[in-house]
Amino acid sequence: MEDFRVHIITWNVGSAAPPDDITALLGLNVGDGNTDMYVIGLQEVNSMINKRLKDVLFTDQWSEVCMERLSPFGYVLVTSQRMQGLLLLVFAKYFHLPFLRGVQTETTRTGLGGYWGNKGGVSARMSVFGHTICFLNCHLPAHMENSEQRMEDFESILQQQQFEGQAATGVLDHDVVFWFGDLNFRIDDLEMQVVKAAIDNNKYTTLWENDQLNMAKDSETVLEGFQEGPLKFPPTYKFDVGTDTYDTSGKKRKPAWTDRILWRLRATAPAGAALSGGNRGSISGLTSGPKVTQHYYRSHMEYTVSDHKPVSSIFTLQFPYRVDVPLVTLIVEDEWNSVADATAIFKHVPSYARSSWDWIGLYKVGFKHHKDYVGYVWAKQEEADFHRQEHQVTFTEEELPKGSGDFILGYYSNNMSTIVGVTEPFQIQLPTSGPGISSSDSSDFSSEDDSTVVMKMRSRSPSPGKGKHRRHRTGSRSGSRPGSRPGSRPGSRPGSRPGSRPGSRPGSRPGSRPGSRPGSRPGSLEQAKLKELNTGDDPSSGSKTESESAGRPAGGSSPPPSAPAEKDKPAEDSGV
């Protein structure tokens, strides 16, 4: 049995901008580095942005700040889903990416009878080392009297969210379901002064017994199997913005635990195993399936930008690895000290369905998402070599960074829309040409990049098969945690275009040599979408990109089918 640690956060942010520091909310100040996956569900994210851009690109501040804070610790955006104010982000350690498969997202609108997305649910499902997991972020109807409507909307969301081509077609068909969000359940039958007195005296038992969601578990069939840890923190709604004071406005809303995190296992736990005490928290599940342990369930009173307080919980999923071999194995030398070293070998399992649009990206350690590459090459496989087990690719000088640092290679599957193979970090330290270094290279580093503080984290066992991804090393950097920040920032500044360098022409026809003219692919939906974004009617086309302001041309070549026009803005529904 292996442990997989998941950190879940839910927060109704009330259309506010992110606070200056979310380190404590993410638990990064603890520094144990043991979290494998972050799942962040937000409600009431400011949705007053151009709809066309919102549907295609990440432009919201919350996505950006989460990526900025998590990427230095080796977390990569796996997938995201946005529906007006509802936002769901899933991050994982980069070396887990090959074992997160079948990623899909869904949305369900319940506002105005299903026509408006201010209320509803967004979800992301995937197979994690062979076990199916679904994360569902909901914003249900408000107000005390709408408890039944909340249950009806939740049931409607469960019925409407169906996933294609998977063994688990509905939300509840997954091995593990995490349900969280602003569920808006209130505290019944108690007057305001009674509720506030109980809060002041830390006596939450009476309030919990009158919580609408807690009471509904006894009568609502749809809640069967859902579990929740004890509410040992004050109600998280409603506060005067900027304070820890409950509502003093004319409405004087009664405090309530509107913000919740629950979980459910497909196999119902035997009697007596639902909630058990002890330092390990609550444990559930049959011995034959995944087990879920909740380590803590808490609110974060220090955040005051909204009238809600964020709520977080850490879980350990314990299960045997059913999938422990990557679909594609990449082999690379420990160091690239010259352009001649810039080669890699890849081989894939017989069952892998490769595409002529597959590519291998070169990433700076600390990259944010699969499009945040420094350079890339097509994963070419000549017909004459079809039966060969190993295939070699070569990076041209123009594809390589002009500075030194730690990098990894990732194999991107066009059919699966995800990275299916990665290497461990290796060093690139190429001889520089002094003042002649081109300033147009989107991967060059400023002095600010080199001054970043090295972050050290406790090492832990890597993912299964991870040690097979590369050749034996000489022992350099031994003991460092894969994915930890090596003292420099990710390889390119946000806003820089990856296709701006000679020889790095994203959009060129797979199988053609790097630097050839981009080839059109008839009927390619991705090409059409990206071409549309590059036309003059793009609302953002009139503004300078960050790369332009930094003195680097943004470049005019079109990106590959699954690559971005701008590296820090992945497609919203890409399901990385």
Side-chain angles (χ1 to χ4, degrees), residues 322-334:
R322 294 175 181 168
V323 174
D324 60 0
V325 176
L327 295 173
V328 176
T329 299
L330 291 164
I331 304 171
V332 66
E333 293 286 0
D334 274 350

Side-chain angles (χ1 to χ4, degrees), residues 534-551:
N534 286 327
T535 59
D537 60 349
D538 187 335
S540 65
S541 61
S543 60
K544 284 190 176 182
T545 64
E546 184 174 330
S547 61
E548 288 172 325
S549 64

Side-chain angles (χ1 to χ4, degrees), residues 33-46:
N34 281 337
T35 297
D36 296 289
M37 178 176 284
Y38 278 91
V39 182
I40 302 170
L42 304 177
Q43 306 86 41
E44 293 192 22
V45 174
N46 192 336

Side-chain angles (χ1 to χ4, degrees), residues 357-402:
W357 290 107
D358 288 0
W359 46 276
I360 298 173
L362 175 65
Y363 299 94
K364 191 83 165 68
V365 167
F367 69 106
K368 299 175 183 176
H369 45 78
H370 81 272
K371 300 172 185 178
D372 190 21
Y373 53 77
V374 174
Y376 81 98
V377 294
W378 296 111
K380 294 185 295 183
Q381 181 175 297
E382 304 296 339
E383 291 186 11
D385 298 333
F386 184 79
H387 295 291
R388 290 182 58 188
Q389 291 187 345
E390 295 186 353
H391 307 273
Q392 181 170 301
V393 294
T394 302
F395 285 80
T396 64
E397 183 175 2
E398 289 80 5
E399 291 289 340
L400 299 177
K402 302 305 181 192

Side-chain angles (χ1 to χ4, degrees), residues 14-205:
S15 298
D20 294 334
D21 189 1
I22 60 171
T23 300
L25 179 60
L26 296 170
L28 298 175
N29 52 337
V30 178
D32 63 2
N34 281 337
T35 297
D36 296 289
M37 178 176 284
Y38 278 91
V39 182
I40 302 170
L42 304 177
Q43 306 86 41
E44 293 192 22
V45 174
N46 192 336
S47 56
M48 300 297 291
I49 57 177
N50 183 283
K51 183 181 184 300
R52 181 161 169 263
L53 270 182
K54 180 192 69 176
D55 289 342
V56 182
L57 300 175
F58 266 125
T59 55
D60 69 276
Q61 295 172 295
W62 287 96
S63 297
E64 292 173 1
V65 74
C66 289
M67 286 190 287
E68 287 289 343
R69 292 301 300 131
L70 288 171
S71 61
F73 292 86
Y75 297 100
V76 177
L77 183 67
V78 176
T79 190
S80 66
Q81 184 59 274
R82 175 84 183 267
M83 184 181 73
Q84 286 183 223
L86 273 170
L87 176 62
L88 179 62
L89 304 170
V90 180
F91 295 85
K93 285 288 192 179
Y94 81 88
F95 48 77
H96 290 319
L97 295 180
F99 308 102
L100 309 180
R101 303 178 185 175
V103 179
Q104 291 189 49
T105 59
E106 275 290 341
T107 64
T108 302
R109 301 171 185 267
T110 60
L112 295 180
Y115 289 99
W116 193 243
N118 65 320
K119 296 291 192 295
V122 296
S123 65
R125 63 88 50 204
M126 65 194 69
S127 169
V128 179
F129 291 99
H131 300 269
T132 57
I133 302 178
C134 185
F135 303 100
L136 176 60
N137 173 27
C138 290
H139 193 184
L140 301 181
H143 306 306
M144 179 74 70
E145 65 275 11
N146 286 333
S147 183
E148 289 186 9
Q149 185 63 49
R150 286 187 273 275
M151 293 310 312
E152 290 178 9
D153 281 12
F154 178 51
E155 192 165 5
S156 176
I157 291 168
L158 293 180
Q159 290 174 349
Q160 292 185 50
Q161 298 217 347
Q162 299 293 319
F163 302 96
E164 298 180 0
Q166 303 292 338
T169 56
V171 171
L172 299 184
D173 296 325
H174 291 76
D175 294 331
V176 185
V177 176
F178 289 100
W179 174 38
F180 49 91
D182 180 0
L183 309 185
N184 254 322
F185 290 98
R186 307 304 171 99
I187 296 173
D188 264 344
D189 303 327
L190 295 177
E191 297 297 328
M192 172 75 83
Q193 60 268 26
V194 176
V195 174
K196 286 192 172 182
I199 295 172
D200 292 339
N201 293 291
N202 293 323
K203 294 183 177 180
Y204 302 126
T205 304

Side-chain angles (χ1 to χ4, degrees), residues 207-315:
L207 304 183
W208 195 24
E209 290 171 351
N210 289 273
D211 172 75
Q212 291 177 339
L213 177 57
N214 193 44
M215 292 188 296
K217 290 179 183 178
D218 297 328
S219 58
E220 298 289 344
T221 305
V222 71
L223 293 179
E224 184 177 351
F226 277 98
Q227 302 178 56
E228 182 180 21
L231 297 169
K232 295 181 178 180
F233 50 88
T236 54
Y237 171 85
K238 171 180 170 61
F239 291 87
D240 292 340
V241 175
T243 74
D244 292 334
T245 304
Y246 286 104
D247 189 16
T248 60
S249 70
K251 294 183 178 180
K252 288 187 169 56
R253 299 286 190 196
K254 187 161 61 174
W257 286 293
T258 58
D259 310 282
R260 313 287 277 270
I261 301 173
L262 297 89
W263 75 96
R264 178 187 186 272
L265 286 105
R266 188 158 54 96
T268 305
L275 288 175
S276 59
N279 295 331
R280 293 286 291 173
S282 41
I283 303 176
S284 58
L286 297 172
T287 55
S288 59
K291 294 183 178 180
V292 174
T293 301
Q294 185 179 42
H295 296 282
Y296 72 71
Y297 187 27
R298 58 164 296 195
S299 64
H300 298 261
M301 295 290 288
E302 65 270 30
Y303 292 98
T304 61
V305 299
S306 164
D307 57 354
H308 291 249
K309 301 298 182 184
V311 172
S312 67
S313 185
I314 288 184
F315 299 90

